[in-house]
């Protein structure tokens, strides 16, 4: 992998804009921050699926784009529209930086693997209040990031898998009107899905499994959350049963929460007294928290 391909890659972007052609990634690159203009497509073949011959890393045989240390983000789409990312393997080290950020319009990502960033898909570069907006993604795997998916708005995700992040997905105030259809949210170090003050999030057919603490935490005025189908199991993998932090669902200062046809699976695996599931309701005013469960 070359030490720094940033300047050469920016020239490729300029050429792609001038000629109306996609950028085809055929070799490894190490990049600083790249601004992606309107109508630019970046395409590779790195993330077409898992290798079931014993190697479970889906990107072993394809090219990789690695973010250079010190960069704030890899691809910034702020203020631009109609970008496409397909078949990419994007990586960073030590939970640093953001893979893709910005309030773009009509941004499409398919068949892509993201790992090792502070935020896989996220916001807030250099303290700027920028939300990942109007983003459509399908067949995307985000793994081993500080936060896998951070505060998208007006976005749609299909067959999205997030695993082994600090918090797999976080929706903060202003992160509204998003749909996540199909996929998995599993093996988070802490909370699987953290909702704080956001509105109008719909999950359809998403499975939560093995989160370190709650599978879903809703607080800070989070409102209008709907989960249809799917399942929640083995929550509180790293918690003690005595503090109820292994509940599947934690609600505090949240409203209009609707679950339809969701399987809550209570598991006692014999190795740990936790994993019992249920719902915890936090009053937030010093009163004793209540818990209903297992379910």
């Amino acid at each position: 992998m070359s030490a720094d391909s940033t300047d050469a890659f920016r020239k490729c972007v300029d050429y792609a804009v001038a000629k109306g052609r996609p950028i085809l990634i055929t070799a490894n690159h190490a990049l600083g921050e790249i601004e992606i203009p309107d109508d630019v497509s970046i395409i590779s073949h790195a993330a077409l699926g898992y290798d079931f011959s014993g190697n479970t890393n889906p990107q072993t045989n394809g090219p990789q784009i690695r973010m250079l240390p010190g960069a704030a983000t890899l691809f910034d789409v702020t203020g631009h529209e109609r970008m496409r990312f397909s078949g990419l393997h994007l990586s960073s080290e030590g939970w640093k930086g953001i893979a893709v950020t910005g309030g773009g319009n009509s941004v499409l990502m398919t068949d892509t693997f993201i790992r090792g960033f502070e935020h896989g898909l996220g916001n807030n570069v250099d303290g700027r209040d920028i939300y990942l907006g109007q983003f459509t993604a399908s067949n995307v795997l985000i793994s081993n990031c500080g936060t896998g998916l951070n505060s998208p708005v007006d976005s749609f995700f299909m067959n999205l898998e997030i695993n082994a992040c600090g918090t797999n997905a976080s929706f903060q105030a202003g992160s509204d009107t998003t749909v996540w259809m199909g996929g998995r949210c599993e093996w988070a170090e802490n909370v699987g899905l953290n909702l704080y003050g956001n509105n109008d999030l719909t999950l359809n057919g998403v499975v939560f499994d093995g989160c370190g603490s709650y599978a879903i935490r809703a607080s800070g005025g989070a409102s209008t959350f709907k989960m249809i189908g799917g399942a929640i199991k083995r929550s509180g993998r790293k918690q003690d049963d005595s503090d109820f932090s292994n509940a599947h669902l934690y609600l505090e200062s949240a409203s209009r929460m609707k679950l339809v046809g969701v399987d809550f699976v209570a598991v006692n695996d014999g190795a740990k007294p936790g994993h019992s599931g249920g719902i915890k309701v936090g009053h937030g005013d010093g009163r004793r928290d209540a818990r209903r469960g297992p379910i």
Side-chain angles (χ1 to χ4, degrees):
M1 183 177 291
S2 62
D4 189 344
S5 304
T6 305
D7 289 340
F9 199 92
R10 286 173 178 162
K11 291 178 181 178
C12 289
V13 171
D14 292 340
Y15 182 84
V17 172
K19 300 295 185 179
R21 296 179 180 176
I23 299 171
L24 180 61
I25 305 298
T26 59
N28 294 333
H29 294 281
L31 303 176
E33 183 171 332
I34 302 292
E35 181 178 354
I36 305 300
D38 297 353
D39 301 301
V40 168
S41 296
I42 303 176
I43 301 171
S44 187
H45 61 278
L48 297 181
Y50 287 96
D51 174 4
F52 288 104
S53 63
N55 186 348
T56 58
N57 185 336
Q59 273 67 48
T60 302
N61 298 316
Q64 177 184 159
I65 299 176
R66 176 174 58 88
M67 190 183 75
L68 289 169
T73 187
L74 186 54
F75 295 132
D76 190 344
V77 300
T78 303
H80 300 293
E81 58 186 14
R82 299 181 303 277
M83 290 78 70
R84 179 187 176 197
F85 304 93
S86 182
L88 303 182
H89 176 187
L90 310 178
S91 71
S92 182
E93 299 296 335
W95 287 10
K96 301 295 185 182
I98 306 173
V100 180
T101 191
N105 184 20
S106 302
V107 183
L108 175 64
M109 174 177 284
T110 60
D111 303 315
T112 290
F113 178 45
I114 297 170
R115 66 174 179 86
F117 293 85
E118 178 184 2
H119 305 305
L121 299 174
N123 66 349
N124 203 26
V125 180
D126 296 333
R128 290 177 282 158
D129 190 18
I130 298 172
Y131 286 85
L132 185 73
Q134 299 187 28
F135 199 92
T136 300
S138 65
N139 301 326
V140 172
L141 169 62
I142 305 174
S143 182
N144 193 30
C145 294
T147 302
L149 176 63
N150 188 37
S151 296
V153 61
D154 296 338
S155 296
F156 177 77
F157 301 92
M158 183 171 65
N159 194 25
L160 170 66
E161 179 174 346
I162 310 177
N163 65 45
C165 297
T167 296
N168 277 356
S170 179
F171 288 69
Q172 302 295 312
S175 175
D176 303 330
T177 322
T178 290
V179 174
W180 179 356
M181 181 177 292
R184 300 181 65 86
C185 180
E186 58 186 5
W187 305 112
E189 289 296 302
N190 299 302
V191 178
L193 173 62
N194 184 53
L195 310 176
Y196 187 87
N198 69 298
N199 291 285
D200 197 11
L201 170 64
T202 299
L203 273 58
N204 193 325
V206 177
V207 174
F208 290 78
D209 187 10
C211 295
S213 182
Y214 311 109
I216 302 171
R217 175 174 180 151
S219 60
S223 177
T224 320
F225 167 76
K226 296 179 289 295
M227 184 172 178
I228 304 166
I232 306 177
K233 56 186 178 179
R234 292 191 290 190
S235 302
R237 176 172 50 91
K238 293 194 169 185
Q239 305 301 319
D240 189 297
D241 185 60
S242 63
D243 66 1
F244 302 148
S245 295
N246 63 346
H248 288 325
L249 185 62
Y250 175 84
L251 303 176
E252 180 179 319
S253 301
S255 63
R256 291 188 286 178
M257 301 286 159
K258 181 182 294 185
L259 281 71
V260 180
V262 179
D263 290 332
F264 276 31
V265 183
V267 177
N268 190 329
D269 59 13
K272 187 180 189 309
H275 302 178
S276 58
I279 298 175
K280 175 182 176 183
V281 179
H283 298 293
D285 57 5
R287 289 182 289 164
R288 181 179 177 83
D289 289 344
R291 177 178 176 183
R292 177 186 176 189
I295 293 179

